[in-house]
Every structure is written in structure tokens, then in C-alpha cells.
Amino acid sequence: MNDNARAGRGSGLATFFTVTFITTWGFWLVAIVLGQPPTTFPTVIPFLLGGFGPVFGAIAVRIRRRGGPVPVHTVRFRLNARLLWALPLLMLAVATVAGGTVLAQALGGPALSLDEGRALIATAGGAAPFFVSMLVGGPLAEEPGWRGTAYPRLLARMGRFRVGLVLGAAWAVWHLPLFFMTGTVQAGFGLLSWSGLLFTLSVFPMALLTGYAYELGGVPAAIAVHFGVNATSAVLNAYSPMTQAVVLAVQLLVAVVAISLRRNVPVTAVDGPGVRLQHG
């Protein structure tokens, strides 16, 4: 049996993706049928539960595994070392969006403005509830699944860039119901618009960046990157097609450079020494 077959056997990937998509799309279908914005009751309940689909998938994998071996590419989490990566990676994520927005303006795109962001924060009830909602609705609900569960299992089969493409594609498809849900940012874009297309494409560099963060600092670091991008995009209202395109290009460049620099760096293993990857 070759390495890929051994890595794939009993990995739990099928369980993860099945549970993730069934729970997310099931709850979000209910939200779509209710026809109200996701911030209103009772739509907010299936909307939030659907967002936690990757966590449900991760839980299902762990129940199924029942104490079996952990994938060799799972990052061992050390509180005194790994957690230190969260802050610089958060700053890097913020910089990719802010820098891309400024560059888009210099190239003739919309002027950078905080007016929409201030209004959004006020609507949420202030800075604290706004940032808490941005943390829970996406990073906390997704990263234990996409990065904490699926990423190391895929990394046992393929290189980092291919993992980013696979998870990016799954992530893009996973988001599709949001385009049909009244009141979401995606519904405002429209699935077949330039903004909708660019949003869908943007998950690919995000998959690479969060995967890179996971290797450095585990799930907390992936959460930090995800949160930084989402919150900064909302505050800067970085949703025009021009701005989206430039931010996407900046993030892709940063991700490719960062991952390329780690091409021959082993991933920390749970069960023993680092396992050197044969492909990047």
C-alpha cells in the first residue's frame, strides 16, 4: 500500500465533509425558506447553527476516531509558544486587506472611507458586540473544522498548495447558500456578479493563508487570520469589485511567498518528530 493510500485510509475526511455540508446546508436552507435577514429572530438560529457546520464535522470525526492515532501533520499546540503567532498573523491579515484597499484606491478604485464601517459598528450596538460577532460568525465557527480537522488529513496526502486548492474549492461551494439568503453580504453581491465571483475566488488565497497560519500557530492562529480579514473588510467596506480584485491579488502573493519559504520546513507532528514534506 502506498503512502497516499495509508494516509487516506480511515482519515475521516469523508465523515468531515459529509457532516459539514449536510448540517450547514440543512440549517441554511431553513434560513432561506424563512426569508428574513439573518440578524432577525427566528432566522438567526438556523443561520448561526449552519455556520458551525465545520465544527459539527470536526466533532463527528473525533467521535468516529474514538482515540485512534492523530494525523502526523496535526500541529501540536503549545500555549507558551504557538499562541504567540496569533498577534503577528492577525496584523498580517489586516495589512493584506488595508494595503489592498489603499492600492486599489491608487489604481483608480473607490476612495478608502470608514463611514460605512462606523455605521455597521453602530448598527451592531458598538465595537465590542461587532467584533465578537465577527469572531464567532466565521473564524470560531469554521477554523476548528477546515484547518484543525481537514487540513492535516489532506496534508498527509498532498502538498500545501494542493491542499489550499482543495479546501478553497470546498469552502467556496460551502458558502453558496449565502447568496440566496436575504440580508447577507453575498446576497447583496449576487452570485453571477463580479463581486460574487471575486468573493468566491477570494477563498482560495484565504485557504492558503489560514493553512500557513495553522502550521505556525495551530487553530488559534488560523482563527486570527480569518478574523483579521473578515473584520477589516467589513470596517473598510472593501467590497467593490476593484478593491476585491486587488485585495485578492495581494493575499495570493503573500500566501505564495509565505508558503514557498516553508517549502522544506517540516510540519510539527503529534506522535513524534517533524515529518518533512516531499512536495510543497
Side-chain angles (χ1 to χ4, degrees):
M1 184 182 294
N2 61 33
D3 290 342
N4 283 345
R6 282 193 294 268
R9 186 176 181 179
S11 68
L13 281 169
T15 298
F16 171 75
F17 285 116
T18 299
V19 173
T20 295
F21 275 85
I22 287 177
T23 54
T24 293
W25 284 15
F27 282 121
W28 282 355
L29 178 60
V30 173
I32 291 170
V33 171
L34 289 172
Q36 299 297 321
T39 54
T40 61
F41 184 83
T43 308
V44 65
I45 296 175
F47 172 72
L48 288 176
L49 288 173
F52 277 86
V55 169
F56 296 142
I59 292 171
V61 170
R62 279 152 182 75
I63 291 174
R64 177 178 177 274
R65 184 167 57 84
R66 294 179 181 176
V70 179
V72 293
H73 297 306
T74 300
V75 173
R76 178 186 292 145
F77 182 72
R78 296 186 180 89
L79 185 62
N80 62 343
R82 293 288 185 188
L83 195 58
L84 296 178
W85 279 106
L87 182 57
L89 287 167
L90 172 64
M91 296 173 64
L92 175 65
V94 170
T96 62
V97 179
T101 302
V102 171
L103 181 57
Q105 177 181 331
L107 294 173
L112 190 154
S113 173
L114 295 176
D115 293 341
E116 294 283 347
R118 292 193 187 98
L120 189 61
I121 290 172
T123 301
F130 169 75
F131 286 112
V132 168
S133 67
M134 295 300 296
L135 179 63
V136 174
L140 280 176
E142 299 179 33
E143 291 309 321
W146 297 125
R147 253 53 63 178
T149 302
Y151 187 87
R153 287 163 172 80
L154 287 168
L155 196 60
R157 300 183 178 193
M158 60 190 73
R160 292 174 171 107
F161 286 110
R162 287 183 62 194
V163 173
L165 290 175
V166 171
L167 278 184
W171 211 4
V173 174
W174 180 82
H175 279 95
L176 285 179
L178 295 177
F179 285 95
F180 305 96
M181 192 182 302
T182 301
T184 62
V185 172
Q186 292 82 2
F189 291 156
L191 179 60
L192 301 180
S193 68
W194 280 112
S195 288
L197 174 62
L198 288 165
F199 171 83
T200 299
L201 292 176
S202 72
V203 301
F204 288 92
M206 274 289 289
L208 292 171
L209 284 172
T210 48
Y212 170 78
Y214 170 78
E215 288 192 29
L216 292 177
V219 172
I223 289 173
V225 169
H226 195 157
F227 170 73
V229 170
N230 284 7
T232 308
S233 297
V235 170
L236 298 183
N237 192 35
Y239 297 136
S240 74
M242 176 72 168
T243 304
Q244 286 179 292
V246 176
V247 170
L248 188 156
V250 169
Q251 291 181 337
L252 183 59
L253 177 62
V254 170
V256 169
V257 171
I259 293 173
S260 295
L261 291 175
R262 285 184 61 81
R263 183 178 181 86
N264 295 315
V265 176
V267 181
T268 302
V270 169
D271 303 323
V275 178
R276 186 169 297 277
L277 301 179
Q278 299 302 314
H279 36 62

